[in-house]
Amino acid sequence: MLRSLSIKNFALIEQLQVSFDAGLITITGETGAGKSLLLGALGLLLGKRADLNSVKNNEAKCSIEGVFDIKKYDLVSFFEEEGLDYEDETIIRREILPSGKSRAFINDTPVTLNSLNALGVQLIDIHSQHQTWEVTTNDFQFDVLDALSETNREIQSYKRGLELLKEKEKEVKSLIKNQQEFTKEYEYNSFLLKELEEAKLKPGELPELEERYETLFNIEEIQERLSGSVSLMSSDDIGILDVLNVIKANSAKVAPYSSSLKELADRIQSVYIELEDINASLGDELDKLEADPEQLEELSRRLQLIHNLQAKHSVSSLEELIKIREELSEKVTMTESLDGDIEKLKEDIVKIESQLDEVATRIHKKRTKALPKLVKELEGILKDLGMPNATFKASLELQEKYFSNGKEVLQFLFSANKGAGFGELKKVASGGELSRIMIGIKAILSRYAQLPTIIFDEIDTGVSGEVAHKMADLMKSMSKNLQVFSITHLPQIAASGQSQYKVFKEDINNTTITQLRLLNDNDRVREIAEMIGGKDISDSALTHAKSLLFN
C-alpha cells in the first residue's frame, strides 16, 4: 500500500507531502483543480516516460517519491532477481533534472524504467473510464477466472512444461535441419574420413619418417664418410688416436715439473678419452647402417601419401590433417546418430505432451467449477450497480492446441438488457457498463487474491442515487482487503472513505499552485454539502452531508 507521497516542482505542484492510511481513501475537488496531476505524478513514479514540459520550474529538479508497504506482496524474489535490497517499507524515487535527464531509484539504488515499471504494476493499479477496455481481453478474463479457481500452482506447472515442450520442439527442428544438410554431404565426408583413417596418421610421425628416409636415401655417402673418419682415427700409420697417444705420454712425463704442465696434461688426457668415445660411436653408427631398398620405397610411399593428403585438404602439417579427421568423424557420427537422437526427442515430446494434457485437464476442471460462481457473483454485483438485467454466457472448450495458460478457449459473452442478444464485451458493452463490470470484477478479485493498491479515477461517472450508494459500499468492502483510492464527484462515495482529501488551486505570489489537503470531519461536511448543493451551501445540504458521513 502507498504510505506517503512527496512531489516537488511538478506541473502546478510546487511542493506536496502527504501520508495515507489503509482502507478507502476518497479524493475530491472541482474540475480542473489538479486531480489528474496526482495521477500524472504517480505515473512517473511507476515508470512512465518523463516529459520536461511537466516540470514547473525548468531550472530546478523535479522529484516524486513514494513510500510503499510491500510486506504482503511476496516480492522478495523480484528484488533478488533485480539485484535490489528488499525492505518491507520500500522507497521509490523519480527525478527529472533541468537537463531533461530522468533518473529512477528503488531503495536508493538506480534502476531502469523497465525495472521500475515491473515493480510499479505490482504496487498500484490505476483504473479510469478509458482503461476499462482491459476487461474485454481474454487474458484478463482468464486471470480473473484463475484467481477464483485457485489454479496458480497448476498454471505454473503447465507453463514450465510448455516451455520445456517448446525447447524440445526447437531441438527437433534444428536436428532435422542438420540432418538434411549433413545427409547431402554424408557420402563425401565418409569417403574423406575413410581415406584419412586408412592413412593411420599419428601425431609427430612426420619428422621421424623424413629422417629415416633421408638416412636410407643417402646411406652410401654416410657409410663412405663414416668409414673414412674411422680410418683417420685409428690408422696404424697416421691414426689420430696413435699420434694423440704419443702427445699424451710426452705431456705426462713433464707434468710433475709445474702446475701449468700438469693442467695441460690433464686436458690432453680428456681430449684423448673424448676422441676414443667418438671413434667408438662412429663404429657403432657404421655397424648399424644397412641398405634397405624395400624400406626406402615404403618410406617414400608413406611420405608421398601424407604430402598428397596435405595438398588435398590445403593444410601444411600432419596435426591439421588429424584435426580434419576428427571433425569429419564427428560429422559422420552425428549424421549416423541423428535418426536416433530425433526419435528420442520425439519420444520426450510425447511424454511432455501427456503430462501437459494431464495438468491442462486439472486446470479445466477447476476453471469449469469456478466459472458459474464468477458469473453469478458478477451478475449480483451489477444488479446492485443499476444493471438488473445484465447477464453473461460463459463457456470453456478444451482444444488440441497448447496455449500460454492452458488448452482452453474462453467465451465470455454479455447482454445488458432483456431480450437483447449476447455478444463480446468489446462489441456490445458501453463505456459505463464496462466501468461497472470492471469494478465488479475487482471487487470479486479482492476476496481471492492480494491485489495492489487500486485507484479508481472518476470511474463512477454517470452514476447517481441508490446505485452510487451501492458503488460506495462495494469500494468500502474492497478496502477491507486492500488500499483503495477513489477520485470522485459523487458525495455518496466521497462520504464512504475512511479518509478524504481535497485537491484545490490557490494563488500564492501571483502563481497558481495545486494543493492536496486531508479534511477533518467539519471540512468533510462542508465539502460533501458543496458536492450536493453547490457553492451556496444550504442547511438541507449540510444535513444530508452529515447523514452520509455519520449514519
Side-chain angles (χ1 to χ4, degrees), residues 371 375 379 391-395 410-415 421-423:
L371 190 56
V375 169
E379 287 177 349
T391 52
F392 292 90
K393 184 185 288 184
S395 64
L410 170 62
Q411 194 173 42
F412 205 68
L413 304 180
F414 173 70
S415 174
F422 287 88

Side-chain angles (χ1 to χ4, degrees), residues 471-500:
M471 189 171 286
D473 290 341
L474 193 62
M475 290 184 182
K476 199 165 185 177
S477 175
M478 291 173 65
S479 71
K480 294 176 182 177
N481 302 311
L482 69 150
Q483 188 184 42
V484 179
F485 286 82
S486 178
I487 299 173
T488 182
H489 288 292
L490 292 180
Q492 296 93 327
I493 292 178
S496 295
Q498 279 94 329
S499 55
Q500 181 178 347

Side-chain angles (χ1 to χ4, degrees), residues 29-35 458 489 505:
E30 296 180 2
T31 301
K35 296 186 290 294
E458 299 185 2
H489 288 292
K505 288 180 181 177

Side-chain angles (χ1 to χ4, degrees), residues 433-495:
E433 289 166 345
L434 285 178
S435 294
R436 299 183 199 188
I437 292 170
M438 176 60 88
I439 292 176
I441 287 176
K442 290 294 181 181
I444 294 170
L445 277 177
S446 68
R447 300 200 302 270
Y448 296 93
Q450 182 59 57
L451 298 181
T453 292
I454 292 182
I455 299 178
F456 291 116
D457 178 21
E458 299 185 2
I459 202 168
D460 48 28
T461 299
V463 173
S464 60
E466 185 59 27
V467 174
H469 282 290
K470 293 292 185 180
M471 189 171 286
D473 290 341
L474 193 62
M475 290 184 182
K476 199 165 185 177
S477 175
M478 291 173 65
S479 71
K480 294 176 182 177
N481 302 311
L482 69 150
Q483 188 184 42
V484 179
F485 286 82
S486 178
I487 299 173
T488 182
H489 288 292
L490 292 180
Q492 296 93 327
I493 292 178

Side-chain angles (χ1 to χ4, degrees), residues 74-331:
D74 192 23
L75 291 174
V76 174
S77 59
F78 173 86
F79 277 72
E80 289 175 349
E81 290 169 6
E82 294 290 332
L84 299 169
D85 294 329
Y86 174 83
E87 299 288 346
D88 282 343
E89 196 167 84
T90 282
I91 301 173
I92 299 177
R93 187 171 75 258
R94 187 77 182 278
E95 297 177 350
I96 305 174
L97 305 180
S99 63
K101 183 179 179 181
S102 167
R103 301 188 300 189
F105 304 86
I106 297 176
N107 290 332
D108 286 329
T109 300
V111 294
T112 64
L113 286 190
N114 286 338
S115 296
L116 187 60
N117 187 63
L119 177 60
V121 295
Q122 300 180 75
L123 300 182
I124 291 186
D125 185 6
I126 299 177
H127 283 281
S128 67
Q129 278 190 307
H130 305 295
Q131 292 168 312
T132 51
W133 61 268
E134 185 185 22
V135 76
T136 68
T137 65
N138 214 230
D139 286 343
F140 180 82
Q141 293 163 4
F142 265 120
D143 288 343
V144 175
L145 180 58
D146 287 333
L148 267 69
S149 57
E150 298 180 346
T151 55
N152 181 64
R153 183 178 298 177
E154 288 84 357
I155 293 290
Q156 294 305 314
S157 174
Y158 175 88
K159 287 183 175 180
R160 288 193 297 270
L162 184 60
E163 185 177 351
L164 182 59
L165 176 64
K166 289 179 179 178
E167 288 176 4
K168 295 292 184 181
E169 289 176 338
K170 186 177 179 181
E171 286 181 43
V172 168
K173 288 180 181 178
S174 177
L175 286 183
I176 291 174
K177 182 179 178 182
N178 289 341
Q179 186 183 46
Q180 292 169 347
E181 293 176 358
F182 291 165
T183 301
K184 295 175 186 176
E185 304 173 359
Y186 176 71
E187 290 186 6
Y188 182 57
N189 286 339
S190 296
F191 169 75
L192 293 177
L193 176 62
K194 184 179 179 182
E195 193 175 49
L196 288 170
E197 285 180 337
E198 287 178 348
K200 297 181 180 178
L201 304 173
K202 298 176 183 177
E205 73 168 310
L206 189 57
E208 182 183 346
L209 289 172
E210 290 173 336
E211 181 180 310
R212 287 165 57 199
Y213 176 81
E214 288 297 320
T215 300
L216 285 174
F217 185 77
N218 297 288
I219 193 165
E220 292 181 359
E221 180 183 355
I222 297 170
Q223 286 174 328
E224 181 182 340
R225 294 188 180 279
L226 287 180
S227 179
S229 298
V230 169
S231 296
L232 287 172
M233 281 279 196
S234 55
S235 171
D236 292 338
D237 297 329
I238 55 169
I240 293 173
L241 286 173
D242 288 341
V243 172
L244 189 57
N245 193 36
V246 173
I247 296 171
K248 182 181 74 158
N250 289 336
S251 63
K253 294 284 187 181
V254 300
Y257 302 136
S258 73
S259 59
S260 59
L261 289 173
K262 174 69 170 61
E263 181 182 351
L264 190 59
D266 291 342
R267 289 171 63 190
I268 293 170
Q269 173 70 17
S270 297
V271 170
Y272 182 81
I273 293 171
E274 179 65 16
L275 280 175
E276 269 192 323
D277 187 60
I278 289 173
N279 187 47
S281 296
L282 285 171
D284 291 342
E285 288 295 324
L286 189 59
D287 291 340
K288 287 192 293 184
L289 290 172
E290 183 180 350
D292 190 342
E294 291 183 3
Q295 187 182 22
L296 180 61
E297 180 63 26
E298 183 182 334
L299 288 170
S300 178
R301 287 196 301 269
R302 179 68 175 170
L303 286 170
Q304 190 59 51
L305 171 64
I306 292 174
H307 292 147
N308 288 343
L309 289 172
Q310 287 177 334
K312 185 173 186 175
H313 292 279
S314 301
V315 296
S316 58
S317 70
L318 185 66
E319 284 66 30
E320 289 175 293
L321 278 179
I322 292 173
K323 184 177 181 182
I324 290 172
R325 182 184 68 192
E326 292 170 350
E327 290 172 351
L328 286 169
S329 178
E330 287 179 8
K331 286 183 179 180

